[in-house]
Amino acid sequence: MADPTRANLPRLSLHVPEPKFRPGDAVDFVGVEVPPAGSAPRPDTAASPRDFTELAYTMVRVLDEENRAVGPWDPRLSADTLRRMLRHMALLRAFDERMFRAQRQGKTSFYMKATGEEAVSVAAVHALDYEDMCFPSYRQQGLLIARDWSLVDMMNQIYSNKGDRLQGKQLPIMYSAREAGFFSISGNLTTQYPQAVGWAMASAAKGDTRISAVWCGEGSTAEGDFHSALTFATVYRAPVIMNIVNNQWAISSFSGFAGAEATTFAARAVGYGIAGLRVDGNDALAVYAATQWAAERARTNQGPTLIEHFTYRAEGHSTSDDPTQYRSAGEPTAWPLGDPIRRLKDHLIALGEWDEERHAAQDRELAEQVKAAQKEAEKNGILGHGLHQPLDTLFDGVFEHMPWHLREQQAQMMAEEAASGRPWDRK
């Protein structure tokens, strides 16, 4: 029997987030709050996180509408450094374009572009030391490119060919390069967060000077690993920079499903007592400045920093995705924070340190560089054209010490191959 005292209470209901724009809709981003460049204060790196919680809700911006660097976060970089960052960002885009076409040509099974997000990885890694350890998600190939890693080596992994250092054991684009301070990418979302915190804790426990930096998308902040990592980071003041790439979309679900309608993603830091920054992710100078600031905090034992990079995924989640099925086609061009490469280019031009002719010539040069690397990589084979690795290498690199039952299986397989007259060459 119903309780009569509850008869006048409103019925409970759930809120189901809905994206503002769907396929066919006109796009209007006037609701996106973009504070003036230079308006965010820059606290001392030794300040307590509770003294600048407002930085988790506003946005650190350096480049203004006239392409000038303004405000306290201006990192005052040399023209040479700015040109190097621009070159690496343009090289990343050229690399993405060619590998995207390679996938469409059937040369590999899968690819993910970082179009529109180039500053998030390239500018950040320029602000780190080469010895610092990076724990990427699957759209930070710019970390390797900005550390001048071999494009051929990256392509070998994409093609899973005989030159693939991972022997075809990883999905294309899930690189691993310990020598470049680039931790193995995992398709399981946000597993890298506790790993990065643990690595940073180990570095501190050994009295080392190296810090770690980690990236994830805004959607995967809903994963338990994310919150476990933040707990350990704040308790032990781990020297780690935790980056959230808020590109508005997690595959086909928009950021509201991860909590974007309630607050910012940088605000996750406030509840944990961690320094939190919300940054214009399409402003390379702002990304550099925020990372540099966070790195100084980490190196001086002030603890971790959580940085939300407010950006936009200009294209599909991957080559397996068609964004026109769930979002307006006008979104990428209407995004109010613009294109990171164009903004950095225009800043250099405004300084008198660059021009459109040199930029066009650089684009042509980089396109040829990527094309030459592709030809070199394809000499080692492409996906689908036979087995590129000796069959018995499937046992290698999986366990530090191979279990006895796998050793038995490996020996049995090699004996059967020898008996068949077609043994694999282990060169």
Side-chain angles (χ1 to χ4, degrees), residues 82 84 110 202 205 222 231 239 268 320 327 373 390 414:
L82 294 172
R84 283 197 300 273
F110 183 79
T231 297
R268 303 284 195 274
S320 304
R327 72 183 189 190
M414 295 177 71

Side-chain angles (χ1 to χ4, degrees), residues 49 230 233-234 236-242 274-276 294 297-298 302-306:
L230 264 65
T234 189
Y236 295 99
R237 295 185 187 175
V240 58
I241 304 171
M242 296 176 285
I274 290 173
R297 282 185 65 86
Q302 301 302 319
T305 301
L306 183 69

Side-chain angles (χ1 to χ4, degrees), residues 71 73-78 285:
W73 285 94
D74 178 8
R76 304 184 185 280
L77 300 175
S78 69
L285 273 68

